[in-house]
Amino acid sequence: MLIGAVSKQTGLSQKAIRLYEQQGLIRPQRIGRYRHFSAADIDLLLLIREARALGIPLQRLKAAIRYQNQQPDWSTLRTFLLQFRGEVEAEVMRQQQRLQQLDHCLHSISDCPLLPAEKI
């Protein structure tokens, strides 16, 4: 499949697809002047699009994408995504703790007899 069709199928601009190739994230086959994308290339582009929407930086993706026999190593990518999920869970826990601390502070202020009611 050529880049124009891949762009329509993935929702990515041709410029973004070329950038991902330049960065080494994808490896389409070249025949003459044209890039030919396989089904695996399209799957990887869709994964990259979703990962970027989740805020995963390109450099981290690049470090996670490995190839075996000209095909993406999906097990390595799965391991990376599981690790990233753990990082997101840890961040959620940190934010929940901050919310609890804020609630405690708000509760303490509300119960303080020294503060006038109109200031609270």
Side-chain angles (χ1 to χ4, degrees):
M1 186 179 295
L2 298 176
I3 195 168
V6 171
S7 176
K8 286 179 185 175
Q9 186 171 345
T10 62
L12 294 167
S13 68
Q14 292 182 26
K15 184 177 178 180
I17 295 169
R18 287 186 196 103
L19 172 69
Y20 298 154
E21 178 186 11
Q22 181 185 17
Q23 294 288 321
L25 297 166
I26 58 170
R27 297 179 183 173
Q29 183 181 9
R30 289 239 181 203
I31 300 175
R33 298 181 329 141
Y34 299 99
R35 296 168 179 86
H36 289 268
F37 296 84
S38 67
D41 292 324
I42 292 168
D43 289 341
L44 188 53
L45 284 167
L46 290 170
L47 179 108
I48 291 168
R49 184 188 72 190
E50 292 302 314
R52 295 292 296 138
L54 292 169
I56 300 174
L58 280 180
Q59 289 302 320
R60 290 204 54 196
L61 282 172
K62 183 177 179 179
I65 295 174
R66 303 276 187 261
Y67 282 85
Q68 289 183 345
N69 302 323
Q70 303 299 328
Q71 295 294 315
D73 181 356
W74 297 109
S75 65
T76 301
L77 277 166
R78 184 179 194 290
T79 300
F80 166 74
L81 291 173
L82 287 169
Q83 176 188 358
F84 189 79
R85 185 182 192 285
E87 292 172 18
V88 170
E89 285 178 338
E91 180 61 27
V92 166
M93 290 185 71
R94 281 191 295 275
Q95 295 300 331
Q96 287 174 337
Q97 288 173 346
R98 290 181 70 199
L99 282 172
Q100 289 173 351
Q101 290 172 331
L102 282 167
D103 287 343
H104 177 73
C105 287
L106 287 168
H107 181 71
S108 296
I109 290 173
S110 297
D111 290 343
C112 181
L114 300 176
L115 292 175
E118 66 272 0
K119 299 282 185 179
I120 299 175

